[in-house]
Amino acid sequence: MSKYPVTILGAGKIGRGIARMLHLSGEYDVLVGDISQEACDALVKETPGVTAKVVNVTNHDDVVKACQGRKAVISACSFDQNEGIAVAALTAGVSYFDLTEDVATTHAVRTIAKRADEGQIFMPQCGLAPGYIGILAHSLCQGFDKLDRVKMRVGALPLYPTNHLKYNLTWSTDGLINEYCNPCEAISDGKRMDLQPMEGLEHFALDGVDYEAFNTSGGLGTLCETLEGRVNELDYKTVRYVGHRELMMFLLHGLRFYDHRDLLKKLMEDAIPCTNQDVVLIFSTVTGWRGGRFEQVADARKVYHGNVHGLEASSIQITTATSMCCVVDLHRLGKLPSKGFVRQEDVSLKDFEANPFGEPYAKATSVRAPIAST
């Protein structure tokens, strides 16, 4: 059988991980495009058999050309490039996937998807959060006669925090700042609303470690729309070690870096080291009524750093790349809607975790349910 041809745009850490996983599965013909020839050469050296070439993702014609003759395009680029890539995907007649946490970008992709042909889907938010956490939370909602509250909490954290922020850079700095600065969708008292980022502080303990969590943007994906009218409370919060939020609030508001995000990005990338030694915390709780009883179900797990086919990888690389690979593979296998805009909650958790790419999630270390202190 012929291999399934896909184009990946972006040869950063996540893009390289996606390319390596898809290629070494033996099912995919992988073409990677990046603006840097050096990045292309490094990828080909790292994963022989993958084709890589220079593609200017800001140039519509370049992107269309890179997509022609393929079945799908995966954007592993910054969120601000995704709308243009989605337009090029529509022109080229290929399905589109991205990792965006940006709400406005997702709305734009939804509009573009209205013109999709049969067999062509547009699926944004295919990472960890948004992404897998939405699939998990939506699955936990099933079986309830009436929902009360859905809570989603995710954190990508260094195993050995040593700086004042108790944080290391593990993925896109642009995406991190976006989450910390943009409005946060939620449902409160049965009504959809926007909450302020960095607010809603709570503390909890998990496996004997103290954490904090607070509102961040984008992690809910499209669940607000999906569950509107069915749930009283729905929110998403990012998990950090205790003390992180206070220092970030000082930077964002005390020193007004909120209005100077480029400077904040430079400051963080110059001062905060990257690490591959990290852990991803994932947990969700759903409360509601079932059979006349008020009940709660919960799922809490950890994914640790490891390797991707022999290469060292952080847990955020593993979870983000495998989540993307999994939904692309489910599309290839005909297990997703066949046309237009596809939400994460359209994915069956059972199908996701049964897929070979879903193995890190299916085998994630289960942990005791978190104990709230505030």
Side-chain angles (χ1 to χ4, degrees), residues 228-247:
E228 185 176 14
R230 297 175 51 201
V231 68
N232 293 324
E233 306 286 337
L234 168 66
D235 60 31
Y236 171 87
K237 296 183 181 182
T238 287
V239 178
R240 295 288 183 255
Y241 293 118
V242 175
H244 175 87
R245 172 188 173 274
E246 182 178 3
L247 291 177

Side-chain angles (χ1 to χ4, degrees), residues 13 158 160-165 167-171 173 267-276:
K13 287 185 177 181
Y160 312 110
T162 57
N163 55 46
H164 283 82
L165 282 173
Y167 186 74
N168 289 91
L169 296 177
T170 56
W171 68 296
T173 311
L267 176 68
M268 294 182 74
E269 291 184 345
D270 286 347
I272 303 174
C274 299
T275 185
N276 283 331

Side-chain angles (χ1 to χ4, degrees), residues 77-83 96 98-110 124-126 129-130 171-172 174-183 185 216-222 261 341:
C77 298
S78 177
F79 72 90
D80 55 351
Q81 303 299 325
N82 287 335
E83 183 176 353
Y96 166 89
D98 74 34
L99 298 162
T100 191
E101 78 294 327
D102 186 68
V103 176
T105 298
T106 297
H107 291 330
V109 172
R110 181 193 290 269
Q125 305 178 318
C126 299
W171 68 296
S172 163
D174 287 317
L176 178 71
I177 294 171
N178 207 29
E179 290 186 354
Y180 282 5
C181 293
N182 290 354
E185 292 184 317
T216 53
S217 178
L220 282 177
T222 53
R261 299 188 191 187
F341 186 80

Side-chain angles (χ1 to χ4, degrees), residues 31 70-71 79 158 172 185 209 227 260 269 271-272 290:
L31 168 66
R70 320 300 286 177
K71 294 288 188 179
F79 72 90
S172 163
E185 292 184 317
V209 180
L227 295 180
H260 304 281
E269 291 184 345
I272 303 174
R290 181 161 47 191

Side-chain angles (χ1 to χ4, degrees), residues 3-4 6 22-23 25-30 328-329 332 357:
K3 294 183 179 181
Y4 194 83
V6 297
L22 291 179
H23 170 68
S25 74
E27 301 289 345
Y28 290 86
D29 171 22
V30 179
V328 171
D329 203 47
R332 177 182 71 90
F357 292 113

